[in-house]
Amino acid sequence: MNAGRGLPDVEIIAVGSELLTPSKVDTNSLWLTERLNALGLEVVRKSVVGDDRARLEAAIRAAFGQGKIILLTGGLGPTEDDVTREAAAAALGRSLSFRDEIVEWLEKRFARFGRKMADINKRQAYVIDGAEILPNPNGTAPGQWIEQDGIRIALMPGPPGELKPMFEAEISPRIQAGLEPAAIRTLVYRVVGIGESDLDQLIAPVYTKYSNPMTTILAAVNDIQIHLRARCPTAEDAEALVAEVGRKIEPLLGDRIYSRDGSPLEVIVGRMLHDRSATVAVAESCTGGMLGERITSVPGSSHYFAGGFLVYTNAMKTGLLGVDPDVLAKHTAVSDPVARAMADGARERTGSTYALSVTGIAGPEGGTEEMPVGTGFIGISGPNGTDARKFRWVGDRRRIRHAAVQSALDLLRRRMIF
Ligand code: ATP
């Protein structure tokens, strides 16, 4: 897709055997992808390769391609298993040369910390012939930048605290120097209350017509982000382009769009409460405090969060919120009337403007044929009356509880819009 837009394809290779274990995640490539996307570039492939010279050489060769940018992270340390320099040199058919100036720099760095450099660190003084040496003010492994036959390759250290500053100071400017001058504008929609496939079916006919802006859809539990990123010669063009596509997408999603600046739902709801000088209380059963946690994770929420009730047993629902035992007996705890009564009780007892309640079956046990796992009710009580909505959330316990919190926040948002 990049090539279609006259932009280079980027490939990331993360090096390190520990990244192939269950305990270490390659976060460098995620960070790099985010930075590259911000330049309007797309990562077309990424891989993780262990500390094996031959395999890494093969992976680098496989990444070769006209106009390609290949970013390698890790494996630049001083030990025998740090093989990135050798593998990249072999893949490019070049030699490595020992550079005295790097040894001098390393010795000075060690001296600054009152230490003597171990001989083993001299391995880090080998540079691929023709490569530019990239300073690493935060560690001992210098980076390298090589251009050959229309391919650009960067060797960067693995520790994120070394990689990130080196990318910003050395790699990003080199990548940008090879691009036509351009302005980038991003529009982020956040959407609730629709599944990823339904959303895609709705908006794909619009965004697939455009390769610029580039569209990325990121789906979390009951929360989807749509990123439109335009790259144009001028800022006005880029703004006009994202706005053009945005204008076509917005009516398809309507009020399911809750944010246009990337803010999460709890922030949006918090702003709305603040603007209306309103407060909210919560009464939670199956979410066990998660709704209150989400609301109060926002700085300043103490101005609009009255408090919450964690009521699992029927006795607690009655004792703390005044839910009528007859209603509980007749309808069961997971029901429309109980959700309403919980919300009313929380509102009355706290004197808040609004109150939300959550009651449901998070599973894995407790489901029945008419009330399968994932069934739940959100109640809302406010100045315009009391209401409850039935939901059928899908997934495991964790997803169901997250989806319930999101649904509750969304119900409050909708109540405040209308
Ligand atoms: P050093 O000079 O510190 O040896 P290096 O370039 O050889 O640097 P590695 O030895 O591969 O880097 O990794 C050092 C540490 O950096 C790892 O223990 C790990 O914590 C972190 N690291 C390496 N690669 C990644 C990655 N892709 N994502 C996140 N962390 C990483």
Side-chain angles (χ1 to χ4, degrees):
M1 194 186 275
N2 278 344
R5 297 186 299 145
L7 294 168
D9 283 338
V10 185
E11 177 155 348
I12 300 171
I13 305 177
V15 185
S17 294
E18 63 174 343
L19 301 171
L20 296 168
T21 67
S23 49
K24 187 83 208 172
V25 181
D26 160 33
T27 53
N28 283 350
S29 69
L30 302 182
W31 184 86
L32 285 169
T33 303
E34 202 259 325
R35 301 303 300 139
L36 292 158
N37 288 169
L39 298 175
L41 299 178
E42 233 187 316
V43 173
V44 294
R45 189 163 65 168
K46 67 176 176 179
S47 49
V48 174
V49 183
D51 302 313
D52 180 283
R53 214 206 72 143
R55 272 201 202 102
L56 182 54
E57 181 187 334
I60 298 169
R61 278 186 202 277
F64 284 173
Q66 194 51 39
K68 219 48 186 299
I69 297 174
I70 305 168
L71 303 180
L72 290 136
T73 86
L76 293 181
T79 60
E80 279 292 323
D81 61 7
D82 288 304
V83 294
T84 304
R85 282 175 293 264
E86 287 84 353
L92 290 163
R94 297 189 185 203
S95 311
L96 286 162
S97 302
F98 188 75
R99 302 285 278 269
D100 291 323
E101 71 262 38
I102 296 182
V103 177
E104 269 170 44
W105 175 81
L106 280 170
E107 277 170 344
K108 274 199 202 127
R109 186 184 158 84
F110 276 92
R112 228 180 29 247
F113 292 105
R115 289 164 53 200
K116 196 176 168 326
M117 187 183 89
D119 258 4
I120 189 179
N121 281 90
K122 289 189 177 160
R123 270 175 70 88
Q124 294 182 301
Y126 282 93
V127 176
I128 300 171
D129 287 348
E132 288 177 67
I133 302 168
L134 311 178
N136 178 2
N138 304 293
T140 57
Q144 304 192 28
W145 175 263
I146 310 116
E147 302 193 7
Q148 175 172 308
D149 304 328
I151 301 169
R152 286 165 283 171
I153 303 187
L155 277 55
M156 292 177 283
E162 299 177 32
L163 166 102
K164 292 178 186 181
M166 186 181 289
F167 180 85
E168 300 293 18
E170 304 292 340
I171 307 297
S172 181
R174 284 174 169 80
I175 290 176
Q176 288 181 69
L179 304 177
E180 297 282 321
I184 307 220
R185 285 295 176 276
T186 307
L187 183 57
V188 177
Y189 291 115
R190 292 188 74 156
V191 180
V192 59
I194 184 170
E196 189 186 4
S197 41
D198 288 339
L199 174 132
D200 199 54
Q201 210 167 357
L202 268 179
I203 68 168
V206 174
Y207 75 75
T208 50
K209 290 205 181 79
Y210 296 82
S211 62
N212 190 19
M214 190 168 103
T215 302
T216 316
I217 297 174
L218 305 166
V221 180
N222 203 1
D223 190 10
I224 302 179
Q225 297 192 28
I226 306 164
H227 292 215
L228 305 177
R229 186 173 277 118
R231 190 173 199 288
C232 294
T234 68
E236 292 75 43
D237 290 350
E239 237 146 59
L241 204 54
V242 285
E244 178 187 322
V245 181
R247 268 197 304 277
K248 293 183 182 172
I249 284 178
E250 287 203 22
L252 300 173
L253 296 170
D255 60 18
R256 283 177 288 213
I257 297 173
Y258 69 81
S259 151
R260 289 170 179 77
D261 64 359
S263 299
L265 194 49
E266 61 274 23
V267 168
I268 298 292
V269 166
R271 263 185 226 155
M272 293 171 86
L273 287 165
H274 179 267
D275 292 349
R276 289 161 179 74
S277 301
T279 56
V280 65
V282 298
E284 300 186 57
S285 181
C286 75
T287 45
M290 288 165 68
L291 178 56
E293 201 287 320
R294 276 281 293 280
I295 295 171
T296 55
S297 66
V298 181
S301 49
S302 53
H303 293 298
Y304 52 78
F305 184 66
F309 302 83
L310 242 186
V311 286
Y312 265 58
T313 62
N314 285 354
M316 291 283 279
K317 290 183 179 82
T318 301
L320 280 184
L321 297 171
V323 179
D324 185 344
D326 292 342
V327 174
L328 278 162
K330 187 167 170 212
H331 298 280
T332 79
V334 181
S335 65
D336 181 294
V338 169
R340 287 168 188 257
M342 284 169 66
D344 280 339
R347 182 159 171 258
E348 261 165 46
R349 279 155 174 73
T350 58
S352 59
T353 322
Y354 296 99
L356 288 167
S357 67
V358 191
T359 175
I361 307 162
E365 276 123 42
T368 62
E369 206 159 297
E370 314 115 72
M371 285 279 187
V373 166
T375 307
F377 292 84
I378 308 282
I380 182 162
S381 175
N384 297 327
T386 307
D387 217 346
R389 258 196 69 190
K390 185 177 183 181
F391 290 87
R392 179 76 179 84
W393 301 295
V394 287
D396 60 11
R397 186 175 173 82
R398 190 194 70 86
R399 287 185 73 89
I400 288 170
R401 282 153 49 98
H402 269 92
V405 169
Q406 194 76 354
S407 299
L409 290 170
D410 190 41
L411 210 60
L412 177 56
R413 177 186 73 97
R414 284 168 184 279
R415 174 64 77 93
M416 287 189 283
I417 301 176
F418 299 111

